[in-house]
Amino acid sequence: MQLIKRLSLASRLALLFAACTAVVSLLAGVLFNHASEAHFIELDQQQLDSQLVALRSTLQGVDSPHVFAQREAQLRVELNRQPELTLRITAAGQRWFDGAPGISLPEAPGLHSLQNAGTEYRVYNAPLVAGQPRSPQLTLMLDITHHQHFLQRMQHLIWLTVGLSALATALLGAWAARSGLRPLRRMGEVAASVSAHSLTQRLPQQHMPLELAELAQAFNAMLGRLDDSFQRLSAFSADIAHELRTPLSNLLTHTQVILTQPRPLEDYREALHSNLEELQWMAQLVNDMLYLAKADHGLLMPKREALALGDEVEALLEFFALLAEDAHVNLVREGGAHTEGDRGMLRRALSNLLDNALRFTPAGGEVRVRMVESTRGVRLTVENTGEGIPAALLPRLFDRFYRADPARREGSSEHAGLGLAITQSIVRAHGGRIYCESGAGWTRFVIELPKED
């Protein structure tokens, strides 16, 4: 069993081909052998029947030993014409003629097989007069040794054919399996060469069999996902370092400057307050990162409670009212809807969208929140006027640390580019989806939440 486990797939296929060929050849040989035996038995029966007719004609009217003695010479002439035929005639327990003395022959009527002193016989018992069992009994013995020798040679040929066929099939099967599995070896080579720096390699699918082409397609898709995930992870790590570098540099510089000489107590207090703001922003950044990590591992478990989205949106609009007034932006709410979800998580998601909309809406613009409820679920949009977002950037808006505005690339104590990523995680945790549309002077974030069964 241990040896079988170590065999390669090509070797296993070759052995399987050889075994199948051997079994098929053996079955064909056995069937042919049985058919040959049945054919020879039929030929022997026909020959014995024809000999029986000739003997009955020669011995016609023989009903006593005296009459038989007169016909014996004629009988021997007939038997001499058939050297492979031997005859025994018995009547009333007496043997009138015995061409096989000393051999015990079956007495039952019909055809029988007999072996004596290495010679094979076909024995046929029949009455001299058909339909009269009490008439003298004729026992014909036909030498079939040459038939048996033929069958034995055929059996040896069958075994030789089985062995050669199995060997040839094993060799051809090994070659065919090795050739057919070449794409798998290529897959193994590519898989062995895959590393963090070579995720761009792909398997060719043009000349592969259908089954392996599907496997190659799945393998290439896996490499594509790994490459994308690795690129995102690399960019994510770089973005974290970039975001933390500015506040840490500020903390170090500010602290070093304060410590260069003795200063009044008030200066130390102001420095600590300034450092506290930076530390609070860093703590918030870490908390947001932990939140996203939980979302990535499916650990966000929103509570399910009945919510009137209109009331929740109204409360958020009241919260942002002063900020909108200072920015000379008009806040508008349209429609209403009901759903089930986590109040705190959904408020955080909507708050991120409203904050994002207010920051990029010019003075005199408008931020509008629309809610539509249907049998399929709830559709909520947060849209604002202003400069649109290029279509090429829309798919990346929900990436972590991504900012569509190049002027806001540096880390700040207000926005780290995680708001939309957190919003997307919250919406997905509720079984919905979020996407962005931009055009005709409006930028629109659409949240679609499914209807609870």
Side-chain angles (χ1 to χ4, degrees):
M1 292 298 294
Q2 190 67 20
L3 178 60
I4 295 178
K5 292 181 180 179
R6 294 178 180 178
L7 289 177
S8 65
L9 183 58
S11 300
R12 295 184 184 186
L13 290 175
L15 291 177
L16 181 61
F17 292 154
C20 292
T21 303
V23 171
V24 172
S25 300
L26 183 60
L27 289 177
V30 170
L31 292 176
F32 182 74
N33 184 59
H34 283 299
S36 299
E37 288 183 353
H39 177 67
F40 282 127
I41 291 175
E42 183 179 357
L43 291 178
D44 294 340
Q45 181 71 61
Q46 293 176 357
Q47 184 176 355
L48 289 172
D49 286 338
S50 63
Q51 295 296 329
L52 179 62
V53 171
L55 292 176
R56 282 176 173 173
S57 176
T58 302
L59 299 177
Q60 185 177 9
V62 174
D63 55 1
S64 65
H66 177 70
V67 178
F68 173 75
Q70 297 176 359
R71 302 280 185 90
E72 184 174 357
Q74 185 179 354
L75 175 63
R76 291 186 180 276
V77 172
E78 182 67 26
L79 291 177
N80 289 334
R81 296 175 182 174
Q82 304 291 336
E84 71 279 3
L85 183 66
T86 304
L87 177 65
R88 176 181 291 178
I89 302 176
T90 58
Q94 297 180 356
R95 294 182 182 179
W96 293 357
F97 184 86
D98 191 358
I103 301 178
S104 178
L105 301 178
E107 297 179 358
L111 192 66
H112 306 276
S113 296
L114 176 67
Q115 183 178 14
N116 182 69
T119 304
E120 300 284 343
Y121 296 97
R122 199 81 70 191
V123 180
Y124 188 41
N125 291 321
L128 176 60
V129 180
Q132 295 184 12
R134 294 184 178 275
S135 68
Q137 295 294 313
L138 302 180
T139 302
L140 288 75
M141 296 176 58
L142 182 64
D143 187 352
I144 59 170
T145 303
H146 60 288
H147 291 173
Q148 297 303 112
H149 288 169
F150 173 80
L151 291 175
Q152 290 175 1
R153 289 194 301 271
M154 188 178 67
Q155 290 175 355
H156 294 159
L157 182 61
I158 289 174
W159 284 110
L160 181 61
T161 302
V162 169
L164 293 177
S165 299
L167 179 60
T169 306
L171 296 177
L172 294 175
W175 173 80
R178 185 173 181 82
S179 300
L181 295 176
R182 188 176 294 113
L184 284 180
R185 291 197 298 274
R186 174 59 181 159
M187 287 184 182
E189 294 172 358
V190 173
S193 64
V194 169
S195 65
H197 305 288
S198 61
L199 290 173
T200 57
Q201 294 191 31
R202 296 295 183 270
L203 290 172
Q205 305 177 31
Q206 293 79 9
H207 304 292
M208 286 190 177
L210 179 60
E211 297 81 2
L212 294 183
E214 294 177 355
L215 179 60
Q217 182 179 3
F219 187 79
N220 289 338
M222 179 193 69
L223 288 179
R225 292 192 299 270
L226 288 177
D227 186 28
D228 182 67
S229 299
F230 183 77
Q231 295 297 333
R232 289 176 179 270
L233 181 61
S234 299
F236 182 55
S237 301
D239 288 337
I240 291 179
H242 180 77
E243 295 295 331
L244 292 178
R245 181 181 61 182
T246 299
L248 286 175
S249 178
N250 292 339
L251 287 172
L252 289 172
T253 302
H254 198 190
T255 303
Q256 289 172 351
V257 170
I258 290 296
L259 295 177
T260 54
Q261 60 182 1
R263 298 178 184 275
L265 182 61
E266 187 64 27
D267 291 346
Y268 289 116
R269 180 176 285 111
E270 290 181 2
L272 289 176
H273 277 293
S274 177
N275 290 350
L276 179 61
E277 291 180 359
E278 296 291 345
L279 290 172
Q280 286 176 338
W281 178 83
M282 293 174 63
Q284 182 61 40
L285 177 63
V286 172
N287 289 335
D288 289 344
M289 292 306 306
L290 290 175
Y291 192 89
L292 290 173
K294 291 175 62 178
D296 288 342
H297 291 83
L299 300 178
L300 289 185
M301 303 298 293
K303 295 182 294 184
R304 296 291 178 178
E305 55 181 316
L307 297 176
L309 286 181
D311 297 340
E312 303 301 325
V313 171
E314 192 65 35
L316 289 174
L317 291 180
E318 290 180 4
F319 176 80
F320 284 99
L322 291 179
L323 183 62
E325 184 178 349
D326 291 342
H328 304 287
V329 174
N330 187 30
L331 298 179
V332 178
R333 168 201 158 188
E334 295 182 2
H338 294 80
T339 188
E340 290 187 359
D342 190 295
R343 185 189 306 273
M345 293 174 66
L346 289 178
R347 277 198 173 191
R348 183 175 185 179
L350 294 176
S351 178
N352 288 340
L353 294 179
L354 287 172
D355 178 68
N356 188 71
L358 285 172
R359 285 190 294 115
F360 293 100
T361 302
E366 180 177 288
V367 175
R368 183 181 302 161
V369 182
R370 293 182 179 181
M371 290 159 284
V372 179
E373 186 174 0
S374 66
T375 55
R376 293 183 299 178
V378 174
R379 176 185 170 95
L380 185 148
T381 63
V382 178
E383 50 193 37
N384 64 283
T385 58
E387 186 178 353
I389 301 175
L393 301 181
L394 292 178
R396 297 195 57 195
L397 289 180
F398 299 96
D399 291 350
R400 301 171 189 181
F401 297 112
Y402 180 76
R403 301 183 183 91
D405 183 5
R408 299 190 59 83
R409 294 288 180 181
E410 294 297 326
S412 70
S413 59
E414 295 182 357
H415 306 286
L418 294 177
L420 291 180
I422 291 175
T423 300
Q424 184 184 55
S425 298
I426 291 173
V427 173
R428 287 180 175 176
H430 283 78
R433 70 179 185 127
I434 182 172
Y435 57 93
C436 180
E437 302 172 340
S438 185
W442 286 86
T443 297
R444 181 179 300 107
F445 286 88
V446 183
I447 295 178
E448 295 179 349
L449 297 175
K451 197 76 172 180
E452 295 294 332
D453 295 332

